[in-house]
Amino acid sequence: MPTFSGKLAEASKRNNSLLCVGLDPDPALMPEMEVAAFNRAIVEATQDLVCAYKPNLAFYEALGMKGFEALRETIDCIPSHIPIVGDCKRGDIGNTARAYAGAMFEQWGFDAVTVSPYLGWDSIEPYCRYEDKGVLVLCRTSNKGGADFQDLSFQGPDGVSLPLYEWVATKVQEWDTRGNLGLVVGATQPEELRRARELCPDMPILVPGIGTQAGDLAAAVRCGTDRDGMKAMISSSRKVLYASRGSDFADAAREACVSLRDQMQEALASRSSA
Amino acid sequence: MPTFSGKLAEASKRNNSLLCVGLDPDPALMPEMEVAAFNRAIVEATQDLVCAYKPNLAFYEALGMKGFEALRETIDCIPSHIPIVGDCKRGDIGNTARAYAGAMFEQWGFDAVTVSPYLGWDSIEPYCRYEDKGVLVLCRTSNKGGADFQDLSFQGPDGVSLPLYEWVATKVQEWDTRGNLGLVVGATQPEELRRARELCPDMPILVPGIGTQAGDLAAAVRCGTDRDGMKAMISSSRKVLYASRGSDFADAAREACVSLRDQMQEALASRSSA
């Protein structure tokens, strides 16, 4: 059976890229045009430069019914060899999680989703039953408030004190009997990213926060990739989508992607030679 | 300005009820009919018995575009004096949280939402800016996996050890400068519910888990209400919606609601006289 991890590796090799582009349309920042047409232009201009696309559902839900239609058109215009991560950060009890998994994998047709760990394993397991899909669990997030709970230290089972996000990574590694779990760790916390990669050496890790949030791109590559320099999806949204607000927005997005991809490849090369 | 808390108190007094009905349509359990028509029949049969309705977005998202249309019709058919909680458990970084808040409050028009605390205060604050809306933060959930992370014990700032869910309740109380925050605490954990109510004496608390999940209804009333026997929304979905799969489903739902409401009022009376 094809797996998310396999599809990601293929796309990453084909485009020589660790760059994931977040398709988060914001009418206040976009040129004046339809969301679906905007996204299509972005995808056409960047599809040979990315390892994945990642629409965040919030930006479509915010537009009401026409937002859902734009999301449908967006998913449909992405070439089938490029994995699509549905960034929804859902987290709910068993029967509700089953409904969300149906929405994300069957209705929308995403290749992977992001989920929240707060409700524990039985809130995550229903997504994992889709064995060809990826399930990326929030671990250490890129925002300031990420520290509020994720950095709290508690006594682990062996008496060693460890922060919540490390315990989440430990449990996700333990739960991954089907081989389709992964993590989300922000680029703004390279030390935490390094630690998460240590705890989950073979998982895909989605790494947001390198663009507007100003995480260190080279550190994200160094700390987020696996031993083969793979399995990191380093994600940028606003820096790519809104590189220009003029009619040249798609060309500007392409330029931004070339630059990001090349910086990532350089960081990878210097890591290998170090 | 009208507040969510005020609207909830009005509806609760008017219907002499702490019962919140979860509108979670599942085609596998419903009579064969359109979701919107099913919900409308449930609302018509129960609207004098509830303090709130609570559609969980997962069940609509699982039905694709026609699910969203059914949600729109459902919201529109609920009398305006009854508060509607959009149960979505969203949790994302600042600019994304703003988009979700716009979706839930402006597009859908919910009176309150449920949100996840995992990403901390800056992921919750954008919802609170809508001062007339309620923002109910997951604290201790009703599912088995709720224990995985929520019960982990941390060293609090005063050196006292406390579980994550208590720390969440403590922070939510501290963050509530606008007076529109609340909690979600499962009825399956009455001791934890009592503790959350102690930490947040004046907040609305949504209490799911009394029906199919078999939480203790009397304990939920005793532990979840405030000092005036108010501000608890004790929620049942499946036990009400699927009381009968026959053509009498609406009458059966009404009977289930009468029974639940009366049991809640009895528990409240015995609490007051104790």
Side-chain angles (χ1 to χ4, degrees), chain A residues 159-174:
Chain A
V160 180
S161 155
L162 76 177
L164 177 58
Y165 83 87
E166 284 194 27
W167 187 235
V168 167
T170 304
K171 296 305 285 184
V172 170
Q173 176 69 17
E174 180 187 319

Side-chain angles (χ1 to χ4, degrees), chain B residues 165-182:
Chain B
Y165 84 87
E166 284 194 27
W167 188 237
V168 168
T170 305
K171 297 305 284 183
V172 170
Q173 176 68 19
E174 181 188 317
W175 291 331
D176 193 24
T177 54
R178 294 182 180 95
N180 59 350
L181 282 164

